[in-house]
Amino acid sequence: MSFAIEAVKLKKQFKKTGYKNILSWRKPSVEALKGISLEVKKGEIFGILGPNGAGKTTLAKILSTLILPDSGTALINGFDLYRHPKEIKKFIGYTTSEERSFYWRLTGRQNLSFFAALYNLSNNQAKERINYLVDLLALKKEVDKPFMNYSTGFKQRLSIARSLLYNPQILLMDEPTRSLDPLSRLRLQKFVKQELSGEQKKTILLATHDLSEAEYLCDKLAILSQGKIVTIGKLGEIKEKLEGKKKFHLKLKVESDYVFKQLLKMNGVCEANIISYINELMTLEVTLSGEEFISSVLNRLVSERVSIFACTPKELSLNEVFEQVVN
Amino acid sequence: MIIQNLRKVISFVKKDFLEAVSYKLSFFMQIGSIFFSIAIFFFLSKVFGQVISKELERYGGDFFSFVLIGLAFTSYYSLGLTSFSSTIRDAQLKGTLEALLVTPTPLPLIVFGSSLWGFFYATVRVVLYLLIGAFFFNAKLMSNYLPAGFVLLLTIMAFCAIGILSASFIMVFKRGDPIYWIFGSASTIIGGIYFPIFVLPPFLQKCAVLLPITHALEAMRLLLLKGCTFETVWPQIRLLIVFIVILMPISIAAFKYAVKTAKREGSLIQY
């Protein structure tokens, strides 16, 4: 299968700056990427998830040809990063949350016209495309006003419009919803999911530290921590990989908290928390070291003459997955 | 390809023009300042002009006309030296360089396109300098425009070669550009902008020969103040061509190396 993006053992170090290193001949460096390999299928939304400083932006910048890796390489639509940067630029659109990447004294339309020329669009093509994008991203109200008067949401929409000017097959989105209010964020996420991915079938590499955004948007995820991919796969697969820990919600009828103390001592129980205890009805969240322990736990409870009203497995949230992976 | 690149260059000029006229007051004040700087030298020439008129015989003997040419073409010399490096630095500071670099536009075209408005503006300034000097302050200029235009083209190319070298330093070191420091300072002091180089000590006169501005101004003054022919200024033209032939390949190689280094270090968009 040919992939839209293939990264192979990408490594990148940056020299540390600052007054402490001003006199040192060999400046100390920080490793931003420590051998990143990943594959993104065509039409997929691939999330790069990680805390600040994990290396997400460095990876996005390398894939967009803005910086060169120290070693390793990447293929974008089969074109090598080192040998074919010009061809790669024809396939990719790059969106950042960087507001300063526009000319503030020009209007949105003047900005888009200028960048359209840089993307090799003729005057007529540019006009047509800009009008289409203005409608698509609901920019009509603001597009003829100076960029400096735009709200953060409009600035971000204009940034997406710019990256779509020449209808690229691959979009590299570096924290596109950062600093947006919840409503604007939700609108933009829906636009990415329904329009860009659903309708236009674009391949999207999304770097984000917003877990709910990644959970909602991404078909596949790579979790980055300190320049390394800690885990990669579909969200379900990642959850399965995680040490086999399983959570269950139990609803029991008990006369005292004696059962709860007994439960903590049972084989396979890692953790148990009382969620509620009203009129002898106790709701518990129990974490087991494996799914197989649930039957023995239930048998023990029955033998203790506890009435079990419900036992439901609980899916791990992305927050929990992320916390476990990064830590 | 050529048409696409031409469209890109025009877009840069249009964008810079729109930005420049959006600062209306600054735009008109810069034009107004030309009048005042000419006036200052006009009155200075009234006081000191006669004292050095002997040294100026070669250029028609009028100090005001002599310095007017120096002032007018200083715009090109400072622009050629600084425009490429300031273009990069400006885009780094504004944050637009990243957005420009992800487009299928080569960096040299981005730098060239971004500098072009400056040269148009400098041309307007030079024409205004000469027109104001001629009409309001009675400067004596000859209508030797075609050869002067050719010398100007060579002059810009020679200055640009140094400017590209200077931009290479800015790209890697961000601040502290030795090329501008050396050529900029030396050209201002001993390049013959405000006084003929014959008044300098012999050692400095020899140094002045190593600067393109010395030959550019010499040729320009002989053409516009004395009405000399193309053949008369051929030695200066030949030297300007030598400067271009030597400096341009070095500058382009240095620029390519600087881009590669900055991309490798990840510092292309930092400032």
Side-chain angles (χ1 to χ4, degrees), chain A residues 12-15 61 64-70 85-86 89-90 92 94 96 98-106 110 113-115 117-123 125 162 166, chain B residues 4-5 7-8 11-12 14-16 18-19 22-24 91-106 110 260 262-271:
Chain A
K12 185 74 205 168
Q13 301 196 13
F14 292 110
K15 285 199 179 104
K61 282 183 178 168
S64 62
T65 73
L66 281 172
I67 53 179
L68 286 170
D70 297 332
K86 277 182 204 161
K89 284 177 184 176
K90 290 174 191 164
I92 55 157
Y94 183 58
T96 61
E98 180 53 80
E99 294 178 349
R100 297 187 312 131
S101 66
F102 283 96
Y103 298 95
W104 281 48
R105 299 189 76 86
L106 304 190
Q110 286 167 341
S113 299
F114 168 67
F115 282 103
L118 299 191
Y119 282 117
N120 299 327
L121 266 66
S122 70
N123 288 343
Q125 284 172 326
R162 178 175 60 190
Y166 63 111
Chain B
Q4 277 177 352
N5 285 343
R7 197 180 297 122
K8 287 180 185 186
S11 292
F12 271 108
K14 189 178 163 189
K15 182 262 297 173
D16 289 331
L18 288 171
E19 274 202 308
S22 77
Y23 296 98
K24 290 181 184 71
Q92 284 170 332
L93 285 167
K94 281 183 185 166
T96 50
L97 188 60
E98 197 172 274
L100 296 172
L101 287 173
V102 291
T103 66
T105 309
I110 291 173
K260 208 172 170 187
K263 268 194 158 191
R264 205 173 46 231
E265 288 180 352
S267 64
L268 191 56
I269 45 190
Q270 294 167 355
Y271 54 89

Side-chain angles (χ1 to χ4, degrees), chain B residues 213-226:
Chain B
I213 193 166
T214 310
H215 310 289
L217 284 177
E218 177 74 4
M220 209 55 97
R221 279 170 180 145
L222 290 175
L223 288 167
L224 291 179
L225 300 181
K226 281 284 274 185

